[in-house]
Amino acid sequence: MTPLPEFERRPATALVAMANALGMGDPVSEDALMQVMRAVSASSGERAALLAAIGAANDPETGVTVADLLTAFATRAGDAEAQVQDADQVIGQWSQRLAAGALLASFAAAIAGTVTGGLAFGLTLLSFSGFIFATASRLGGRARQRLKAQEREAAETLARHVLQAANHTNTAK
């Protein structure tokens, strides 16, 4: 007879266990809790496992606690999304201004004859690279902002579903 394989703890069941621990007043690592909630909200399989675990939980308040944790996580993700958006705007504006200033300075130096030949051409190309940097930083910021928005929306949706499942479970018992 072959032994049963080792099953690792799923993030969904870990989240339910953490919610139960918090409900009993036990300390839970904030970083571990954030990682578990991020993993649960990112995977459809984990979201389904979370709903099943809440339905099978002995404590009827587990679903409410998990929904509260997910709502707090969604709020933090929304704050992170706003910070990324603000940083994107500031970095984008300043990098564009810096690139435009460098381009004007290189044109002025070339027109005034201070810099000539290949050096003027190289200085102009270098200032154009500032525009490339500005564009790349804006694109990277937008990608981070999109990821944070998706994380926030997934957590908000999951919190609503968990609360509905908890209410359904409480009325059925």
Side-chain angles (χ1 to χ4, degrees), residues 86-156:
D86 291 346
D88 177 54
Q89 288 177 350
V90 169
I91 289 171
Q93 288 176 356
W94 279 105
S95 59
Q96 287 174 351
R97 289 177 184 167
L98 183 63
L103 185 61
L104 288 175
S106 68
F107 283 158
I111 291 170
T114 307
V115 180
T116 58
L119 190 56
F121 183 70
L123 189 58
T124 304
L125 284 180
L126 183 64
S127 61
F128 274 121
S129 69
F131 284 112
I132 293 169
F133 169 74
T135 303
S137 69
R138 296 296 300 259
L139 291 175
R142 295 248 164 88
R144 285 188 302 277
Q145 184 179 350
R146 190 171 35 256
L147 287 174
K148 292 296 180 183
Q150 289 171 348
E151 188 174 82
R152 176 187 49 79
E153 290 169 2
E156 287 173 347

Side-chain angles (χ1 to χ4, degrees), residues 40-123:
V40 169
S41 63
S43 166
S44 60
E46 289 301 322
R47 290 191 298 265
L50 178 64
L51 294 174
I54 288 171
N58 292 332
D59 185 6
E61 295 300 315
T62 299
V64 176
T65 305
V66 170
D68 185 53
L69 289 172
L70 288 168
T71 302
F73 178 72
T75 301
R76 286 184 182 165
D79 292 344
E81 177 186 359
Q83 287 176 347
V84 167
Q85 183 178 14
D86 291 346
D88 177 54
Q89 288 177 350
V90 169
I91 289 171
Q93 288 176 356
W94 279 105
S95 59
Q96 287 174 351
R97 289 177 184 167
L98 183 63
L103 185 61
L104 288 175
S106 68
F107 283 158
I111 291 170
T114 307
V115 180
T116 58
L119 190 56
F121 183 70
L123 189 58

